[in-house]
């Protein structure tokens, strides 16, 4: 772990990967601020990690600003920012809903930019900071019918690299994590939707669609991603910046 406890913002911390990250970093002794639209789950996770829940729709610029202000007010610094909130919408480009496109770009690209911008001065003044952007294999390769998600995630890599260059002299590292399918509510919904669309059962969706072209044939568990986040937040990872770390069962090796 890093030398002393830090204030950590985890967006989308109410479920899935964000929930696991919140728990893992709380075990390191850090103070956790969870931002999410899901109030019930967010409050429950905040209670489990003895942290703070801030009800935030991060597609709203004012909510991003307020989140950083609240975290600073409560804990006196903002040291680690985990840009994790996201959602999936599946449709071909030609039918892709314009509002969904805007929401996806707002949540998965604009909010990480805004939160980085607002948290940056606090990290700079402490000469220490970690920004971790939850990207995806879909930040590196495309798949059919996911144009909003894939465009946002590719953009997130550009944000990661640029901020990393600017943070180099300030003690701030900025990295992206690129998982393949992780067993979370987001993926459970996709499995159910694909089963319906293809008229097959959910096990067949996992086996025949999701795991078809990857080397290690399983869904990743959220705690595997959380462990990589813990490492990136530690002093041992101080030389890693501007990187996109794959945890993708070999998806992008081919
Ligand atoms: N599950 C996967 O297979 C997988 C793979 C690669 C990358 N990712 C990425 O990991 C991140 C977390 O995904 P997950 O699988 O844990 O999903 P999830 O659906 O379990 O959790 C996402 C969280 O984001 C929150 N959220 C959605 N819209 C929001 C908004 N407007 N403002 C604030 N919070 C909002 C949701 O309420 C939810 O708690 C996402 O960015 C996703 O793209 C997931």
């Amino acid at each position: 772990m890093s030398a002393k406890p830090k204030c950590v913002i985890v967006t989308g911390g109410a479920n899935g990967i964000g929930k696991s990250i919140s728990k893992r970093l709380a075990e390191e002794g850090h103070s956790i601020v969870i931002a999410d639209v899901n109030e019930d789950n967010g409050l429950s996770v905040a209670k489990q990690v003895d942290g703070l829940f801030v009800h935030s729709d991060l597609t709203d610029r004012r909510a991003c600003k307020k989140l950083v202000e609240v975290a600073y007010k409560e804990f006196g610094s903002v040291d680690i920012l985990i840009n994790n909130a996201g959602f999936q919408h599946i449709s071909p480009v030609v039918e892709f809903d314009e509002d969904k496109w805007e929401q996806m770009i707002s949540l998965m690209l604009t909010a990480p930019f805004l939160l980085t911008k607002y948290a940056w001065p606090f990290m700079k003044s402490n000469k220490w900071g970690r920004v971790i952007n939850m990207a995806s294999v879909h930040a590196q390769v495309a798949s059919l019918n996911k144009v909003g998600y894939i465009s946002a995630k590719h953009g997130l890599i550009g944000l990661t690299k640029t901020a990393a260059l600017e943070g180099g002299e300030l003690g701030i590292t900025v990295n992206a994590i690129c998982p393949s399918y992780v067993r979370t509510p987001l993926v459970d919904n996709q499995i159910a939707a694909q089963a319906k669309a293809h008229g097959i059962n959910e096990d067949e969706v996992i086996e025949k669609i999701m795991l078809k072209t990857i080397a290690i044939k399983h869904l990743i568990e959220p705690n595997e991603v959380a462990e990589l986040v813990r490492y990136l937040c530690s002093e041992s990872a101080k030389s890693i910046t501007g990187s996109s770390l794959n945890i993708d069962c070999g998806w992008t090796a081919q």
Side-chain angles (χ1 to χ4, degrees):
M1 72 179 272
S2 47
K4 44 183 198 86
K6 309 290 187 192
C7 168
V8 186
I9 293 176
V10 184
T11 75
N15 290 292
I17 296 170
K19 177 177 169 182
S20 249
I21 293 169
S22 300
K23 288 184 170 179
R24 187 65 191 87
L25 294 185
E27 284 168 14
E28 296 293 293
H30 299 319
S31 304
I32 310 295
V33 180
I34 292 165
D36 210 292
V37 279
N38 186 327
E39 182 145 15
D40 288 348
N41 289 13
L43 284 169
S44 157
V45 178
K47 196 168 171 199
Q48 291 170 51
V49 301
D50 197 17
L52 182 70
F53 172 69
V54 183
H55 186 269
S56 322
D57 177 352
L58 299 168
T59 60
D60 179 348
R61 185 188 294 185
R62 288 161 303 182
C64 293
K65 191 144 214 240
K66 184 181 145 215
L67 171 60
V68 174
E69 285 168 0
V70 168
Y72 181 74
K73 198 166 168 213
E74 185 74 18
F75 296 110
S77 67
V78 179
D79 307 295
I80 299 174
L81 169 63
I82 315 289
N83 285 311
N84 167 78
F87 73 98
Q88 184 62 277
H89 177 72
I90 296 182
S91 168
V93 175
V94 69
E95 289 163 20
F96 208 90
D97 182 83
E98 290 88 344
D99 289 338
K100 280 275 184 278
W101 166 274
E102 282 182 5
Q103 281 166 20
M104 295 184 108
I105 301 296
S106 289
L107 181 62
M108 294 188 280
L109 183 55
T110 306
F113 153 68
L114 293 170
L115 292 168
T116 303
K117 175 182 158 83
Y118 301 144
W120 199 261
F122 301 122
M123 296 180 182
K124 183 179 173 184
S125 72
N126 284 340
K127 300 185 177 61
W128 196 95
R130 296 281 189 268
V131 179
I132 298 176
N133 294 321
M134 199 53 62
S136 167
V137 284
H138 285 126
Q140 301 181 1
V141 296
S143 296
L144 295 172
N145 302 330
K146 295 183 175 177
V147 68
Y149 187 89
I150 289 168
S151 301
K153 296 296 189 185
H154 273 68
L156 194 54
I157 300 300
L159 169 64
T160 302
K161 289 178 177 173
T162 311
L165 295 183
E166 295 179 17
E169 296 293 310
L170 308 176
I172 304 171
T173 69
V174 186
N175 291 290
I177 295 180
C178 300
S180 54
Y181 290 112
V182 184
R183 198 186 299 273
T184 69
L186 182 146
V187 160
D188 289 342
N189 292 339
Q190 278 189 66
I191 293 170
Q194 299 258 27
K196 203 170 161 199
H198 295 282
I200 55 179
N201 70 40
E202 298 195 355
D203 287 342
E204 287 174 309
V205 172
I206 296 174
E207 198 185 316
K208 293 186 178 157
I209 299 176
M210 294 186 157
L211 305 181
K212 191 175 167 203
T213 58
I214 62 178
I216 303 172
K217 306 271 183 208
H218 64 208
L219 298 180
I220 298 167
E221 295 300 328
N223 63 356
E224 297 176 64
V225 182
E227 192 55 34
L228 183 53
V229 170
R230 181 209 59 78
Y231 171 67
L232 286 173
C233 292
S234 72
E235 288 313 305
S236 307
K238 66 178 182 232
S239 307
I240 303 177
T241 199
S243 295
S244 301
L245 290 102
N246 296 347
I247 168 165
D248 70 357
C249 298
W251 182 321
T252 54
Q254 53 194 317

